């Protein structure tokens, strides 16, 4: 059992689709690196609502998807339950405590757009990566994509600025940033220290068009992804703060040719093998 409270569940599959439906879609390179095989048993770390899992599910033997959000796991079970799948609520900060999972039987561990949340807590960062190493069979591969250093920098800076403007001390504002976006060199060193052979590791600047539907756009993104930062403010100041952040970002994120808004995503992607 995890020795801390379960994290507050701020997720819903619907809100995630409204503001970030592109996340499970922009995964062509990651899927190529995963190279799914019919005999593969795959552990999907931070599987969310299973929409990324769906991309490779038909090509593998079995997938266990784990995620800390009960609502996302419920959604994954509803949409993708079957003989080849299992979905479980697991706080992956404490993955090493899940002895029925961390047992050296997995051909592949995959993770898309989740590790920057899971590795946020510096005190459990390395133990989570160690658990992934332990979970794999010898020769098994850890294939991941996450935010890399500089990811969504404009949005982070805008929200931090707004919080400080509303009187939140800068240290408290910084602590509320819910992500860890490592550089290539941090990740390489961490993986090699755990005994992984790093086969691929790359950073890609990939500006990504914001969604435009109801509850989406930059505003929807900030409300959902930046919820922990907004929670440093009294409830009655949050709507105003979101509007201020959107106003600050308007010039930076808007393209002149068509008025579309683009998020400054930076991807850190890699393949690391257990020898
Ligand atoms: C990302 O996929 O890079 C990301 C998603 C949500 C919040 C921050 C980063």
């Amino acid at each position: 059992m995890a020795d801390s409270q379960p994290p507050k569940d701020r997720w819903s599959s619907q809100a995630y689709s409204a503001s970030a439906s592109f996340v499970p879609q922009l995964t062509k390179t990651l899927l190529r690196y995963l190279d799914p095989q019919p005999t593969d048993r795959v552990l999907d770390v931070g599987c969310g609502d299973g929409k990324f899992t769906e991309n490779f599910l038909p090509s593998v033997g079995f997938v266990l998807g784990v995620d800390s959000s009960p609502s996302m796991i419920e959604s994954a079970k509803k949409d993708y339950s079957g003989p080849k799948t299992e979905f479980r609520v697991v706080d992956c900060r404490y993955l090493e405590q899940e002895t029925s999972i961390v047992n050296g039987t997995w051909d592949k561990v995959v993770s898309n757009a989740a590790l920057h949340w899971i590795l946020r807590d510096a005190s459990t960062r390395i133990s989570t990566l160690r658990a992934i190493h332990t979970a794999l069979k010898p020769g098994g591969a850890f294939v991941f994509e996450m935010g890399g250093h500089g990811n969504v920098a404009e949005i982070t800076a805008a929200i931090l600025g707004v919080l400080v403007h509303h009187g939140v001390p800068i240290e408290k504002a910084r602590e509320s940033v819910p992500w860890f976006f490592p550089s290539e060199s941090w990740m390489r060193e961490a993986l090699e220290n755990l005994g992984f052979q790093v086969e691929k590791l790359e950073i890609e600047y990939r500006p990504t068009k914001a969604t435009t539907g109801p509850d989406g756009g930059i505003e929807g993104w900030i409300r959902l992804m930046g919820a922990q930062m907004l929670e440093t403010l009294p409830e009655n100041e949050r709507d105003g703060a979101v509007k201020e952040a959107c106003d600050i970002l308007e010039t930076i994120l808007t393209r002149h040719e068509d008025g579309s808004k683009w998020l400054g995503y930076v991807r850190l992607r890699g393949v690391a093998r257990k020898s």
Side-chain angles (χ1 to χ4, degrees):
M1 282 287 291
D3 56 13
S4 85
Q5 293 295 314
K8 180 171 167 183
D9 193 354
R10 298 178 176 86
W11 295 105
S12 84
S13 180
Q14 204 180 11
Y16 195 80
S17 290
S19 59
S21 51
F22 45 78
V23 171
Q25 290 162 10
L26 293 172
T27 51
K28 235 170 94 184
T29 311
L30 184 65
L31 289 167
R32 183 158 50 78
Y33 288 176
L34 181 63
D35 185 25
Q37 300 297 321
T39 54
D40 278 347
R41 294 180 73 252
V42 181
L43 174 62
D44 187 345
V45 169
C47 65
D49 58 9
K51 290 201 170 56
F52 167 66
T53 321
E54 181 191 18
N55 289 309
F56 63 87
L57 181 57
S59 315
V60 299
F62 178 76
V63 183
L64 170 60
V66 290
D67 199 283
S68 65
S69 163
S71 69
M72 294 297 248
I73 288 293
E74 193 184 310
S75 174
K77 283 182 177 168
K78 180 170 71 63
D79 292 341
Y80 305 112
S81 279
K84 295 206 304 186
T85 55
E86 189 186 336
F87 294 99
R88 272 197 229 170
V89 176
V90 173
D91 183 344
C92 292
R93 291 175 303 169
Y94 306 100
L95 187 60
E96 88 276 10
Q97 297 175 13
E98 303 291 328
T99 49
S100 64
I101 300 174
V102 180
N103 55 9
T105 63
W106 300 93
D107 298 290
K108 288 166 187 164
V109 176
V110 72
S111 185
N112 180 49
L115 286 170
H116 43 258
W117 303 95
I118 296 166
L119 302 183
R120 166 64 178 87
D121 184 345
S123 68
T124 52
R125 211 169 265 166
I126 297 301
S127 61
T128 294
L129 292 174
R130 184 180 297 112
I132 289 171
H133 185 266
T134 310
L136 285 165
K137 280 179 180 167
F142 173 34
V143 184
F144 63 91
E145 183 168 317
M146 66 186 292
H149 188 72
N151 193 38
V152 291
E154 313 86 338
I155 301 196
T156 310
I159 305 174
L160 282 173
V162 169
L163 297 185
V164 170
H165 187 220
H166 280 247
V168 178
I170 183 63
E171 297 77 14
K172 187 173 170 199
R174 275 197 206 112
E175 272 165 35
S176 75
V177 176
W179 317 298
F180 173 58
F181 298 134
S183 64
E184 271 166 294
S185 56
W186 186 92
M187 194 50 125
R188 179 178 296 279
E189 188 178 336
L191 293 172
E192 288 180 351
N193 284 344
L194 290 165
F196 278 109
Q197 308 272 359
V198 177
E199 293 184 351
K200 293 183 200 293
L201 196 58
E202 60 206 22
I203 279 271
E204 179 192 354
Y205 177 55
R206 190 179 69 199
T208 301
K209 195 173 177 177
T211 59
T212 53
D215 299 327
I218 303 301
E219 181 179 335
W221 194 100
I222 291 175
R223 284 187 193 281
L224 183 68
M225 307 300 183
Q228 276 159 271
M229 299 180 78
L230 296 171
E231 284 166 17
T232 60
L233 294 174
E235 219 167 323
N236 63 356
E237 292 183 30
R238 292 179 197 164
D239 286 346
V242 172
K243 165 126 189 17
E244 271 177 58
C246 289
D247 286 346
I248 292 168
L249 288 162
E250 177 75 20
T251 324
I252 304 161
L253 301 187
T254 308
R255 290 207 178 166
H256 285 279
E257 64 274 22
D258 59 3
S260 57
K261 306 274 190 300
W262 291 72
L263 300 146
Y265 274 74
V266 176
R267 306 285 80 191
L268 176 63
R269 195 183 297 119
V271 177
R273 201 164 293 280
K274 178 171 177 173
S275 25

